[in-house]
Structure formats: structure tokens, C-alpha cells
Amino acid sequence: MPILPTLIVLLAVAGMIALGLWQLLDRLPQKEAYLAQLAANPARPVIAFPLFPDESLLFRRAEADCRPPVTIRRAGAGAAGFRLIATCSVPQGSTQVQLGTTHDPRAETRWPGGRVTGYVAHAPDSRSLIQSAFDHRPQAMMLVADTPAAGLEANPSPDIDAVPNNHLAYAVQWFLFAAIAAIIYALAVVRRNRMVVVKHTRR
């Protein structure tokens, strides 16, 4: 059995197993605890909308005093069609408010601002998956209004199922990669040994 290739394969397999255990024993429990916190957030007391992104406040009930000037943009909303999102001034900064949804791609609403209550959600993120992998800035957040603006449909309720939890699948993938690598290498070694035996018998 070749020593150096075997050591390399063993190290690679050990690394894959370690990554699988990390996903299973570390990342998965962390994510489950985080999801449990998010599931409890809607029942917690109302807070002022956070000035800075805080993932622990996702789905938390919040309120903001949205002051003019107000700019409104349109973003995709999946099956709901489109959502209209306002950017307005708040004390010490600005915030985004999802005013409601519509299936009309040309829909507009005149919303002057005011006191808004709703829940904290992620704002649309224009970064691609590749950009997100290298750009570790937290995703911006917005306030999803309880009451839709004039002419718009109501916003959806908080959906804990929208937060992915893929760590068990990641762990299984790493274990499979380790098993496949070990099997392929074992087959290669067996084939090599057979070829060596054949060569010796022909001499």
C-alpha cells in the first residue's frame, strides 16, 4: 500500500468527518436554539425598531416613528407578487418599512409616514450567493407593517419556516463525501495490487 497517498487520503477523510461532526454537534444545536428563540419572538414585548441589524430580533414585535421625506420602492414578494418598501427618517438614522403587497406591478401608494407597528424582518438583499460568501456584513432589516398602506394587501405573518436549517443535511453530505473518498481509494488500491500481482505472475 502506498504510504504517502494513503496518508493524504486518511487526512482528507478525517477532515471531512470532522466537518460533519462540527455541523452535527455544534452548528445544528446552535441553529435549533436560534430557531426556538425566533419562534418565541412574536410573543415578546414590543420594542423600538433596532438601529442596527440584530439577527436575534428577527420576528420580534417593534414600532418606529417614520418621518418624511419618504421614498418608496418595489421588490419581489414571491407568490404575493410585489411588496412596496418605504425608506424614511427615524431618530438617529433611517429605516425601511414594508407597507404591503400587491399583484399589480405598477401599483403605487401615497404614504406620508407616521407611527408604524409590525415585526422585524430581513430587508431584500441585492447581494448574490457568491457575494454573500465573501461579504460578511449582516443583512439589513426592515419593519413589516401590521396595517397595509392604502391600496395594498396585508403583509404576511412571521414565518419561521422561511429560516433555513440545513446543518443536518450538511453533516450527512460530509459523511458521505468521506465514505465515497475512502471507498474509491480502497478500490484503487485493490486494483493496483491486482495489477502488481499480475505483473509478477507474468515474469
Side-chain angles (χ1 to χ4, degrees):
M1 181 179 293
I3 296 177
L4 182 58
T6 301
L7 287 176
I8 293 174
V9 171
L10 287 176
L11 288 173
V13 169
M16 295 175 193
I17 293 174
L19 287 170
L21 291 174
W22 174 63
Q23 290 287 346
L24 185 63
L25 302 179
D26 184 39
R27 296 292 294 132
L28 179 60
Q30 288 181 10
K31 192 58 171 285
E32 289 177 339
Y34 173 63
L35 291 175
Q37 179 183 10
L38 297 189
N41 273 352
R44 292 191 168 103
V46 178
I47 60 172
F49 186 79
L51 294 176
F52 304 101
D54 184 344
E55 295 292 325
S56 68
L57 298 179
L58 198 63
F59 303 146
R60 185 77 182 264
R61 300 281 305 161
E63 59 184 7
D65 185 11
C66 202
R67 303 172 181 176
V70 176
T71 59
I72 300 176
R73 64 188 175 94
R74 190 178 292 106
F82 303 90
R83 47 186 170 171
L84 271 64
I85 300 174
T87 300
C88 51
S89 299
V90 296
Q92 300 179 339
S94 64
T95 193
Q96 300 182 70
V97 178
Q98 182 169 309
L99 301 175
T101 63
T102 178
H103 287 88
D104 183 355
R106 295 175 294 180
E108 296 182 357
T109 186
R110 295 185 179 275
W111 186 71
R115 196 73 177 172
V116 185
T117 59
Y119 67 88
V120 179
H122 284 134
D125 193 347
S126 60
R127 292 175 294 183
S128 67
L129 290 176
I130 295 177
Q131 289 174 324
S132 299
F134 295 96
D135 185 352
H136 299 293
R137 289 176 300 173
Q139 187 173 345
M141 292 186 163
M142 66 180 179
L143 183 60
V144 180
D146 289 333
T147 303
L152 300 179
E153 299 174 20
N155 289 308
S157 301
D159 183 11
I160 190 70
D161 292 332
V163 182
N165 182 12
N166 301 321
H167 297 292
L168 179 58
Y170 293 155
V172 172
Q173 286 178 354
W174 282 117
F175 293 145
L176 286 176
F177 292 157
I180 291 170
I183 291 171
I184 290 175
Y185 185 69
L187 292 174
V189 170
V190 170
R191 183 172 182 272
R192 175 184 177 275
N193 290 341
R194 286 178 179 173
M195 293 177 63
V196 171
V197 171
V198 170
K199 288 180 179 179
H200 282 294
T201 56
R202 288 178 178 177
R203 291 179 180 177

